[in-house]
Amino acid sequence: MTVKSNILIIGSAGRNIGKTEFACKIIKKHSTLKKIIGVKIVPVDKNEGNCHRRIEGCGLCDSLKGDYEIIEETEKNLSKDTSRMLKAGAKKVYLLLVNKNSLKQGIDAILKIVPKKSLIVIESNSIRKVLEPGLFIVIKKLMNKSVKQSCIDVIELADKIIEFNDMNWDFNPDNVIIKNESWIIKE
């Protein structure tokens, strides 16, 4: 397993629970002093017929031809998660579209193109299976007991589980800080 203390992974128990907004607040806070790179990971399982997003007509997962594809986001003014991370202040943002059996190869490819001294914020659950970050946070919706399988597989590895109540989290993103080029939770 790859160990990288300069990486923060933000996972979630479901969709629409403020994961990207939480990531953007952290990026915005730290990007004025540090080079922050954003990464959104979309795992694909061709055996299941489509990706976990199940957005009708999206076509993104169908476009994956090999084990993985890295797409750099260059547009700040779209509603996509990657655009939002770029607008928040990330120096670069990448979408990693990856066969779920090739997560290690995909993250290794990302790490080769990211400058060594960068701090990285990743949105993903499944990448935690092959990567041990400085900090792994999982966001769950308050009063919602359903949890997607990709989160069930890694939630016991979370350093912090946060609850979202449709408006706010029970944990302030400002409490995620950088110390010695590592992501940590402020005591």
Side-chain angles (χ1 to χ4, degrees):
M1 179 169 300
T2 303
V3 178
K4 293 285 187 180
S5 63
N6 65 321
I7 294 178
L8 163 63
I9 299 175
I10 302 172
S12 67
R15 295 182 51 77
N16 301 317
I17 59 173
K19 178 175 59 175
T20 300
E21 185 62 23
F22 194 88
C24 287
K25 286 188 179 293
I26 291 169
I27 291 167
K28 187 173 186 175
K29 176 183 177 185
H30 296 287
S31 64
T32 57
L33 298 174
K34 300 286 186 177
K35 182 182 270 187
I36 309 285
I37 305 296
V39 179
K40 170 94 175 173
I41 298 176
V42 177
V44 177
D45 186 345
K46 296 286 187 175
N47 295 327
E48 291 179 6
N50 59 13
C51 76
H52 68 285
R53 299 170 69 203
R54 291 176 179 78
I55 297 172
E56 189 67 34
C58 169
L60 183 63
C61 296
D62 292 333
S63 70
L64 181 63
K65 301 298 181 224
D67 291 330
Y68 63 87
E69 181 180 355
I70 299 169
I71 303 164
E72 182 177 352
E73 181 61 71
T74 58
E75 181 57 54
K76 291 182 181 182
N77 296 317
L78 301 176
S79 61
K80 300 185 305 182
D81 294 348
T82 50
S83 293
R84 292 173 59 201
M85 292 168 87
L86 196 59
K87 187 174 185 176
K91 291 286 185 217
K92 295 206 178 247
V93 178
Y94 300 98
L95 172 68
L96 173 61
L97 187 60
V98 61
N99 180 303
K100 77 178 203 176
N101 297 319
S102 301
L103 287 166
K104 175 86 170 93
Q105 295 92 322
I107 196 62
D108 287 349
I110 286 280
L111 294 175
K112 284 180 185 170
I113 63 173
V114 169
K116 299 276 187 249
K117 300 281 185 184
S118 299
L119 290 148
I120 305 169
V121 175
I122 297 176
E123 282 192 28
S124 175
N125 286 323
S126 54
I127 201 63
R128 182 58 184 90
K129 293 178 184 179
V130 298
L131 177 66
E132 184 176 333
L135 187 59
F136 176 42
I137 294 172
V138 172
I139 303 175
K140 293 174 53 177
K141 196 166 195 171
L142 185 67
M143 307 301 274
N144 186 348
K145 300 299 180 204
S146 69
V147 179
K148 60 186 177 179
Q149 186 61 48
S150 65
C151 186
I152 290 170
D153 293 344
V154 296
I155 196 165
E156 74 279 353
L157 301 172
D159 297 297
K160 180 76 175 167
I161 298 174
I162 298 169
E163 291 190 332
F164 180 67
N165 68 5
D166 289 329
M167 297 291 288
N168 293 300
W169 309 276
D170 66 353
F171 179 80
N172 190 330
D174 287 344
N175 291 328
V176 175
I177 63 170
I178 301 163
K179 184 175 182 180
N180 300 325
E181 303 307 310
S182 297
W183 293 101
I184 63 168
I185 293 175
K186 180 169 59 175
E187 296 297 324

